[in-house]
Amino acid sequence: MESILSAIQSTNVETTFTIADALMDAGLAAILGLIISFTYIKTGKNSKNFARTLIILPSLVCLVMLAVNGNFGTSLAVVGAFSLVRFRSLQGSSRDIGFIFFTMTVGIICAIGELPLALLVTAFICAIHMVLYYTNFAANDVDEKDLRVTIPENLDYSDIFDDIFERYTKSYKQVAVKTTNMGSMYEINYRIKLNDEKQEKSFIDEIRMRNGNLTVVCGRCDMNEAEEL
């Protein structure tokens, strides 16, 4: 602990910088933020405002650290407070949080004058994001779908659709059951893989005939999960 405190105190040395230096560091931070924003857009679902914020944030972090004139502890405290603003008003995904810390890191590196290191870190982390995206690392099976079927409470849901699943699906699994409409109906969630996507309408039509033409929802797993958030 003493070694950590001494290291922090050693960074709290008054430093001088010119306006030209500050503008150069902030300008490079903005350029790197543009690269980070482009990576964010290309590697998944994106928000227009958040993508623009990623361009500005590295420059803000850099200028805040330069403005406190070398007081490392104070600058990190201020930057940390700024980074929480988004997540106090809107729930952020783990991907958004990762990009927030990415841009903060680049801004801090630019503020201490290590511009080549900032370029290297940006290129390295962006390359990792691209590789993970294009290799579909840890992605769900794209053929897998969620099926939600509503049935009246007087039907036994244990094996009511098994014969239909045997004809139309490669695999199926019941995931969850819940009551709806004041307990007068059941909603059954399945995870399925269809034999042929072109037969989806026929598949749903047979289920509708079995459940009395009540609600049937079939869609990609990630789409249904997003609707529940």
Side-chain angles (χ1 to χ4, degrees), residues 99-130:
F99 273 96
I100 284 285
F101 283 108
F102 184 12
T103 54
M104 287 177 58
T105 301
V106 171
I108 292 172
I109 296 174
C110 289
I112 62 177
E114 296 291 341
L115 303 185
L117 178 59
L119 287 168
L120 186 62
V121 168
T122 301
F124 180 66
I125 302 299
C126 287
I128 292 177
H129 276 289
M130 289 293 186

Side-chain angles (χ1 to χ4, degrees), residues 7 11 19 28 35 47-48 50 55 71 79 82 86 90 98 100 108 111 125 133-134 142 148-149 157 177 213 215 220:
T11 60
I19 294 179
L28 179 61
I35 297 173
S47 164
K48 177 185 69 175
F50 187 64
I55 302 174
N71 193 323
V79 169
F82 285 169
R86 168 178 168 82
L90 178 66
I100 284 285
I108 292 172
I125 302 299
Y133 176 73
Y134 285 108
V142 294
R148 300 181 184 182
V149 183
Y157 58 80
V177 179
N213 203 28
T215 303
R220 299 293 180 190

Side-chain angles (χ1 to χ4, degrees), residues 9-218:
Q9 290 173 358
S10 65
T11 60
N12 294 335
V13 179
E14 292 296 325
T15 59
T16 59
F17 63 93
T18 63
I19 294 179
D21 292 336
L23 291 177
M24 182 180 68
D25 293 342
L28 179 61
I31 294 173
L32 297 179
L34 180 62
I35 297 173
I36 295 171
S37 180
F38 178 79
T39 303
Y40 169 77
I41 294 171
K42 290 296 182 180
T43 56
K45 297 178 181 178
N46 62 84
S47 164
K48 177 185 69 175
N49 291 331
F50 187 64
R52 293 176 178 176
T53 301
L54 291 177
I55 302 174
I56 302 171
L57 187 58
S59 294
L60 291 178
V61 172
C62 179
L63 292 173
V64 167
M65 292 197 64
L66 291 174
V68 296
N69 199 19
N71 193 323
F72 187 74
T74 303
S75 60
L76 281 184
V78 174
V79 169
F82 285 169
S83 68
L84 296 176
V85 172
R86 168 178 168 82
F87 305 107
R88 286 176 61 87
S89 58
L90 178 66
Q91 181 181 4
S93 67
S94 57
R95 179 168 172 264
D96 290 350
I97 296 173
F99 273 96
I100 284 285
F101 283 108
F102 184 12
T103 54
M104 287 177 58
T105 301
V106 171
I108 292 172
I109 296 174
C110 289
I112 62 177
E114 296 291 341
L115 303 185
L117 178 59
L119 287 168
L120 186 62
V121 168
T122 301
F124 180 66
I125 302 299
C126 287
I128 292 177
H129 276 289
M130 289 293 186
V131 170
L132 293 177
Y133 176 73
Y134 285 108
T135 58
N136 288 323
F137 180 78
N140 293 330
D141 192 337
V142 294
D143 295 331
E144 200 168 52
K145 291 187 174 183
D146 276 345
L147 176 68
R148 300 181 184 182
V149 183
T150 302
I151 64 172
E153 62 176 344
N154 60 346
L155 290 181
D156 183 6
Y157 58 80
S158 58
D159 56 358
I160 184 174
F161 302 114
D162 285 0
D163 58 326
I164 301 176
F165 291 148
E166 292 292 341
R167 294 199 308 272
Y168 286 97
T169 66
K170 299 176 185 177
S171 64
Y172 63 93
K173 179 177 65 174
Q174 182 177 306
V175 178
V177 179
K178 69 177 181 180
T179 58
T180 62
N181 197 22
M182 302 294 292
S184 62
M185 296 180 184
Y186 288 101
E187 182 181 280
I188 316 169
N189 292 359
Y190 298 95
R191 192 65 57 88
I192 64 171
K193 291 183 183 178
L194 291 173
N195 291 325
D196 186 357
E197 293 284 344
K198 295 180 180 179
Q199 295 182 335
E200 184 176 55
K201 182 180 183 304
S202 300
F203 171 65
I204 293 176
D205 285 343
E206 290 205 28
I207 292 178
R208 289 170 54 226
M209 293 174 62
R210 190 73 55 88
N211 77 334
N213 203 28
L214 294 175
T215 303
V216 179
V217 179
C218 185

Side-chain angles (χ1 to χ4, degrees), residues 45 148 217-229:
K45 297 178 181 178
R148 300 181 184 182
V217 179
C218 185
R220 299 293 180 190
C221 299
D222 54 350
M223 180 186 70
N224 288 333
E225 288 168 2
E227 291 175 351
E228 292 176 354
L229 292 178

